[in-house]
Every structure is written in C-alpha cells, then in structure tokens.
Amino acid sequence: MINIKKFVKNAIIEDNGRGDLFFDVAPKGRFTARAICKSDGILAGVQYAKVLARTEKFDCKFLKNDGDEIKAGDVIAELEGKASILLSSERTFLNMLQHASGIATMANKYAKLMEGTGVVLLDTRKTRPQLRDFEKYASRVGGAINHRLGLDDCLMLKDTHLRTIDNLEEFVKKARKRISWVTKIEIECETLDQVKEAMHAGADIIMCDNMTIEQIKEVVVFRNENYPHILLEASGNINLETIRNYASTGVDAISSGSIIHQATWLDFSMKFD
C-alpha cells in the first residue's frame, strides 16, 4: 500500500504542476459525478483509484470491483466532493482505470483461451519504466500470474547472459553458492541440445524461447523422461491465435509480454450530475 500511495501522489503532482488554475475560481459547494465505462472489458485500477479518492479527500463509491466484467454504459463509480477537487482529480482517476482495465482485459483474453489446460499464464518484465507494479497488478486482475518483478526475483540466464559464460555447469554451481537457497535458476533455450545442457547443468526452469510447437513437444518428452522436477515455460511470439496450441504441448507455463505492451486502454469518462 505504501507504493500505491507514493504512485498516486506522484501522479497527482505530475498533473497539477504548480496548481490547478481552476482551483481558485471553482464554484463553491459539493457536487456529484459518475465514472462511466464506454468500452467492454475487465475492470482494474479500483485499488489505486480508491487511494486517490482518500488522498484528495472526495467520496467515491465503486459499483464494480477489480476483475468484474464491464459493458459500455455501465456506471463504475459514484463520486461526491468539491468541484475543484473532483475536476483536478478527474484525469488521473480516469487514466488509472483506463490503463489498468486495458491490461486486465488483454490478460483475460489470454487466460480464457487457456482455461482447462492447467498451464499458468505469466506476464513479463516488458513494462513501462516506473509503472511495473501498476501494470503487473493489472495483469493479475485479468487472470495472469506475475513472472519476475525484477532482476532480484530469480536468476534468469538469457541468450545474452549465456554468451558471457564458458562453462554453464560450473557457472550454475558457483551461482548456487551465492544466491539465496530458495531462489530458482531459469535458463533460456532455443534448441533441444541447449535444453539438455541446461538441465544437466542444474536449471530449475527452462524457458523454451521462440520454439515451434513440435520442438517444445520434444523438450517435454525429454523432460518427462529425464528431469521431471524441472519446470518448462514457453515464450516468444505466442499470440491469441496460437496460445491454446502451445498450452497443449505439456509445458507448465506460458509467458507473454503482449498482455501488457499490446493492451489497449478502455474508454472511461466522468459526468457531473
């Protein structure tokens, strides 16, 4: 919650600058308004919008919750407060809902396509700078599970890392002595031979990067026969048209940056009564 408060406060400062010019000439008294959705999708951002309301001291009653399906025309929230406060908060309030709801809606589309497969949907670190917590919160609301929040969550060796390593097995042994005992090591692989080397070296998770469905099926068979404890993640150019087929290969998880960076904002507006 501390991070949310800081995020909200910075968002307010960003929009208000040296102060809203409408503030000193705003009509007196209390006014009521409604936040209305103009797009179909999944609502997110409520947790942040409530903090904004408390910070700026206006009343806000949400009629929908994070994760609810919403339709164009739905009233999302009822607001009451001074005109100066409601209007100075309007854009920040709506931006949070629109941005988060767009991501939640995209994540939900992927999650629905994977229903019944038992495969976990993961987001990635492809987030906008300074917005990672916010965007990953939105993807969770939509049905995804967060992959790494940062470089300190898991030791992932991608192709760029591997180019700096001469002996993978020795490197993993060294890493095990330096990182936390509960921290996993994930290694990105593009071929079955790379998978075999990474599994032998002691990886906890293998990322099958940009592999075809046929290649991944081969990896799954090898894993099941030799290293059944190792988790498999598929990633790379997996979209709404192909994700169900990838989920049927036997992997444990599928990660997609599209959940966040290809999401389109939903449309919301605020109307005064």
Side-chain angles (χ1 to χ4, degrees):
M1 185 62 74
I2 294 176
N3 286 339
I4 296 179
K5 288 180 179 178
K6 182 178 180 181
F7 177 88
V8 167
K9 187 167 292 187
N10 287 338
I12 294 168
I13 293 171
E14 177 184 52
D15 203 33
N16 282 2
R18 289 176 294 174
D20 183 0
L21 297 176
F22 181 73
F23 194 88
D24 289 335
V25 293
K28 304 301 181 184
R30 294 179 68 82
F31 293 79
T32 59
R34 292 162 292 134
I36 301 171
C37 180
K38 300 165 69 176
S39 307
D40 297 347
I42 302 298
L43 179 63
V46 173
Q47 186 175 352
Y48 282 74
K50 285 182 176 179
V51 173
L52 172 62
R54 289 197 295 270
T55 301
E56 292 298 273
K57 295 180 173 57
F58 62 86
D59 296 331
C60 180
K61 177 184 178 183
F62 272 92
L63 307 180
K64 302 283 186 177
N65 299 311
D66 275 339
D68 283 354
E69 185 174 342
I70 51 178
K71 301 289 185 182
D74 284 349
V75 176
I76 304 304
E78 297 172 344
L79 302 85
E80 182 179 354
K82 295 179 179 179
S84 56
I85 297 298
L86 292 178
L87 290 167
S88 66
S89 303
E90 176 186 4
R91 180 43 51 202
T92 302
F93 183 87
L94 294 176
N95 282 353
M96 289 177 178
L97 294 175
Q98 292 179 175
H99 187 171
S101 296
I103 293 171
T105 299
M106 180 64 84
N108 187 255
K109 290 178 180 179
Y110 277 90
K112 281 187 174 179
L113 290 170
M114 294 172 61
E115 285 180 352
T117 65
V119 179
V120 174
L121 174 65
L122 303 172
D123 55 26
T124 73
R125 282 169 48 243
K126 292 179 181 178
T127 57
R128 293 162 183 81
Q130 303 297 310
L131 293 179
R132 181 164 297 166
D133 285 349
F134 178 72
E135 293 184 331
K136 279 182 170 280
Y137 141 78
S139 84
R140 289 197 305 273
V141 171
I145 293 177
N146 293 153
H147 201 283
R148 294 190 298 171
L149 288 170
L151 297 173
D152 56 346
D153 281 355
C154 165
L155 175 57
M156 178 182 286
L157 303 178
K158 299 177 73 67
D159 59 338
T160 45
H161 296 87
L162 294 172
R163 289 184 181 276
T164 70
I165 299 171
D166 293 325
N167 187 313
L168 183 59
E169 185 175 1
E170 289 301 315
F171 180 88
V172 170
K173 287 180 180 178
K174 178 181 178 181
R176 292 288 185 198
K177 295 178 181 180
R178 299 295 300 273
I179 64 176
S180 167
W181 185 70
V182 298
T183 300
K184 288 182 169 57
I185 296 177
E186 180 169 5
I187 301 178
E188 180 182 277
C189 301
E190 296 180 352
T191 67
L192 180 58
D193 286 340
Q194 289 178 338
V195 169
K196 291 178 179 179
E197 180 186 9
M199 288 186 174
H200 177 74
D204 299 299
I205 307 170
I206 297 294
M207 176 189 284
C208 301
D209 186 52
N210 288 305
M211 290 188 186
T212 65
I213 289 175
E214 290 69 28
Q215 285 177 307
I216 292 177
K217 286 181 178 179
E218 290 181 349
V219 171
V220 171
V221 170
F222 178 80
R223 186 276 305 269
N224 292 347
E225 292 178 350
N226 299 277
Y227 300 92
H229 64 285
I230 295 179
L231 297 173
L232 296 178
E233 172 190 341
S235 184
N237 296 315
I238 299 173
N239 54 43
L240 291 170
E241 285 70 39
T242 61
I243 194 167
R244 183 78 185 188
N245 291 332
Y246 277 93
S248 67
T249 59
V251 295
D252 301 289
I254 294 175
S255 59
S256 173
S258 298
I259 292 172
I260 293 174
H261 66 66
Q262 293 297 313
T264 301
W265 286 26
L266 295 195
D267 192 6
F268 289 79
S269 65
M270 186 183 294
K271 300 296 183 183
F272 274 66
D273 298 322

